[in-house]
Amino acid sequence: MSVHPIEILRFNTCGSVDDGKSTLIGRLLYDSKNLMEDQIEALERSADITGGGQINLANLTDGLRAEREQGITIDVAYRYFATPRRKFIVADTPGHVQYTRNMVTGASTANLSVVLVDARLGVIEQTRRHSYIAALLGIPHVVFAVNKMDLVDWKEERFLEIRDDIEAFLPKLGVLKDVKFIPISALNGDNVVDASVHTPWYQGPTLLGHLETVHIASDWDLTTFRMPVQWVNRPNNPKDHALHDFRGLSGQIARGLVKTGQQVMVLPAGIKTTIKKIWTYDGLVAEAFAPQSVTLCLQHDIDVSRGDMIVDLDNLPGMDTELRAHVCWINQRPLQRGKKYFLKHAAQTVQAVITSLDNRTNIQTFEPESEPSELTMNGIGEIHLRTSKPLIFDGYATNRLTGSFILIEQGSNQTVGAGMLFPPTEPVKPEYQDFAI
């Protein structure tokens, strides 16, 4: 009998301060029996016990002293748990406006985002901001968990009112396709792991039930191959004949699949060659696919270095120094036209200058404000930039790995912006493609 590998779902929680994100993750871990006995005993022994003798489940993710003292989440906390159906990697991200940059970090690799909404407060600015960021980051699945329903007496009318408010602005976000609404109480566990007796009017799945069954197999595009080269692998081991002259190109497959014998092109050189061998941690394989990390051996000895990209011959990416992108600004010093930054894209870092700040998004209306003078912290806008070296890229909507970048401030080396590239205006036209071998 063949054994199928269990899928891994990466998801994050977001929303405003005190919406119950950390408590929700604690409840998921606690009720799904994913805590060790010593973890439960440590929680019970600690001073972090709320009135009524309830364990403060938020402390399973809020480990910093400052987080526990203030009752807020500051840093991104990652937790791992599993059920018989699926494995999970969850990022507990902060809700405070000041830590929006941490929310962007935690959500950047997520398959699914859980946006919590306080049933008493309804849709507020952070709800809109985090929903917009989730759409901007291309997260394919979103759950709006209406929390603290016990504090509004489990009224169906309140749940439907919040759902209608959210559905009113969803069309403005553009790319959210799979959206779910679930009424919950993270503190008491209603509709988190087990169905609640308080919501006979809700016929949908529990949060964990949805996380276990949401379809993610098609989230990875397996049609067009991309692999940025991270490392030229030369062991040079004189004691091992197989490794003495070994030369492979290591990296993570960003898109598509690759097979032995497949014709590929190495960019920016534009030289064509064939895949000779595919090595993984488990040894030689006949084919590999995103997001596996592999080492490729090519049929011909081509000059390839870190930052180059191996692609298939169909649907070539773009290559340009003039780029257009959305950017989430995450630094207290504002983004301004004409300023130079380091731009890290895939496996390479180049210098870049902001040539224009085209617009800034109004979070209340989701409408663009044309030609602002600057983009302040937590601002989202569209920019044009020029790089010192051509980037090989896809549009972010097509590929999250080859279509994203970060901006780094020169001097301080602080990450100041997260960018999502627009699609290239035309595919790459390699200068040396006539010299194919």
Side-chain angles (χ1 to χ4, degrees):
M1 189 173 95
S2 62
V3 179
H4 295 282
I6 298 178
E7 283 185 321
I8 299 176
L9 173 70
R10 292 172 171 84
F11 71 96
N12 77 297
T13 58
C14 55
S16 189
V17 179
D18 290 333
D19 278 351
K21 299 177 292 297
S22 301
T23 301
L24 174 63
I25 294 176
R27 176 59 66 183
L28 276 171
L29 296 172
Y30 190 82
D31 285 2
S32 62
K33 306 297 188 292
N34 273 275
L35 293 177
M36 301 295 182
E37 287 186 7
D38 59 335
Q39 290 178 299
I40 298 175
E41 290 173 0
L43 284 174
E44 292 173 342
R45 287 197 310 267
S46 71
D48 303 311
I49 297 180
T50 61
Q54 287 183 307
I55 296 173
N56 190 342
L57 294 170
N59 288 335
L60 287 168
T61 56
D62 291 341
L64 299 178
R65 179 178 295 179
E67 293 179 318
R68 297 192 176 193
E69 288 175 350
Q70 300 180 57
I72 65 172
T73 301
I74 296 174
D75 199 5
V76 180
Y78 292 92
R79 290 293 178 269
Y80 309 87
F81 68 102
T83 67
R85 287 186 172 186
R86 186 170 274 174
K87 294 180 180 179
F88 302 93
I89 302 174
V90 53
D92 181 24
T93 59
H96 200 287
V97 176
Q98 181 180 351
Y99 302 116
T100 299
R101 60 185 180 274
N102 293 12
M103 180 268 166
V104 175
T105 301
S108 61
T109 58
N111 302 100
L112 180 146
S113 188
V114 180
V115 183
L116 273 86
V117 183
D118 190 321
R120 299 167 301 172
L121 303 177
V123 176
I124 59 176
E125 181 178 332
Q126 278 299 81
T127 310
R128 302 170 74 88
R129 185 189 306 276
H130 286 180
S131 301
Y132 185 79
I133 292 174
L136 201 60
L137 291 174
I139 298 175
H141 313 280
V142 176
V143 175
F144 288 95
V146 183
N147 191 23
K148 304 186 182 181
M149 285 294 298
D150 52 312
L151 301 182
V152 294
D153 299 324
W154 296 101
K155 293 180 180 177
E156 181 184 11
E157 296 78 11
R158 181 55 178 159
F159 173 73
L160 295 177
E161 180 184 356
I162 293 172
R163 187 190 68 181
D164 292 343
D165 288 346
I166 293 172
E167 287 183 336
F169 68 72
L170 283 182
K172 297 182 179 180
L173 304 186
V175 295
L176 291 181
K177 298 176 182 177
D178 179 18
V179 179
K180 195 80 175 175
F181 296 87
I182 303 177
I184 67 169
S185 171
L187 184 64
N188 300 318
D190 294 84
N191 287 335
V192 178
V193 172
D194 301 312
S196 173
V197 298
H198 298 107
T199 55
W201 41 266
Y202 172 72
Q203 303 301 318
T206 64
L207 178 61
L208 182 61
H210 181 64
L211 295 177
E212 285 184 320
T213 56
V214 63
H215 180 70
I216 61 172
S218 59
D219 289 351
W220 287 99
D221 183 356
L222 300 180
T223 58
T224 307
F225 176 64
R226 303 277 190 270
M227 194 193 85
V229 176
Q230 297 180 14
W231 178 45
V232 179
N233 191 343
R234 292 298 305 271
N236 293 324
N237 187 347
K239 297 182 179 179
D240 189 332
H241 177 72
L243 297 179
H244 183 60
D245 296 319
F246 183 90
R247 184 175 185 268
L249 306 171
S250 301
Q252 182 185 28
I253 300 176
R255 183 183 178 192
L257 58 84
V258 61
K259 301 178 180 180
T260 303
Q262 178 178 334
Q263 269 207 311
V264 294
M265 179 182 290
V266 179
L267 295 173
I271 300 175
K272 298 176 184 177
T273 185
T274 305
I275 301 295
K276 184 179 180 180
K277 293 180 180 178
I278 305 172
W279 289 91
T280 68
Y281 179 80
D282 298 316
L284 277 172
V285 295
E287 65 178 26
F289 51 87
Q292 285 182 291
S293 294
V294 299
T295 296
L296 303 180
C297 296
L298 305 181
Q299 189 70 45
H300 305 93
D301 193 15
I302 300 172
D303 180 15
V304 183
S305 59
R306 176 179 170 87
D308 291 352
M309 192 176 296
I310 303 174
V311 304
D312 61 18
L313 304 184
D314 298 321
N315 298 319
L316 293 174
M319 187 169 73
D320 208 339
T321 58
E322 300 288 338
L323 307 169
R324 183 184 173 209
H326 280 109
V327 65
C328 297
W329 195 249
I330 54 178
N331 190 259
Q332 292 187 356
R333 285 184 288 275
L335 177 148
Q336 296 176 325
R337 298 182 190 87
K339 191 163 184 179
K340 293 180 180 179
Y341 299 93
F342 291 123
L343 184 149
K344 188 178 187 308
H345 170 262
Q348 67 173 332
T349 301
V350 299
Q351 290 197 66
V353 60
I354 308 298
T355 55
S356 69
L357 176 53
D358 302 332
N359 62 59
R360 174 178 57 206
T361 302
N362 185 320
I363 292 299
Q364 294 297 331
T365 64
F366 299 115
E367 297 296 331
E369 300 172 350
S370 299
E371 299 184 354
S373 59
E374 61 184 18
L375 195 63
T376 56
M377 186 169 178
N378 298 324
I380 301 170
E382 291 183 19
I383 61 171
H384 276 81
L385 45 84
R386 182 184 302 116
T387 57
S388 60
K389 178 182 176 182
L391 295 190
I392 304 161
F393 69 100
D394 296 285
Y396 184 84
T398 303
N399 192 320
R400 292 168 72 179
L401 292 178
T402 59
S404 62
F405 63 88
I406 61 172
L407 292 174
I408 303 168
E409 188 176 55
Q410 298 184 5
S412 68
N413 282 333
Q414 289 185 334
T415 300
V416 294
M420 286 69 69
L421 290 164
F422 280 72
T425 55
E426 61 179 2
V428 61
K429 296 177 180 177
E431 184 178 357
Y432 301 115
Q433 61 184 0
D434 293 339
F435 297 88
I437 57 176

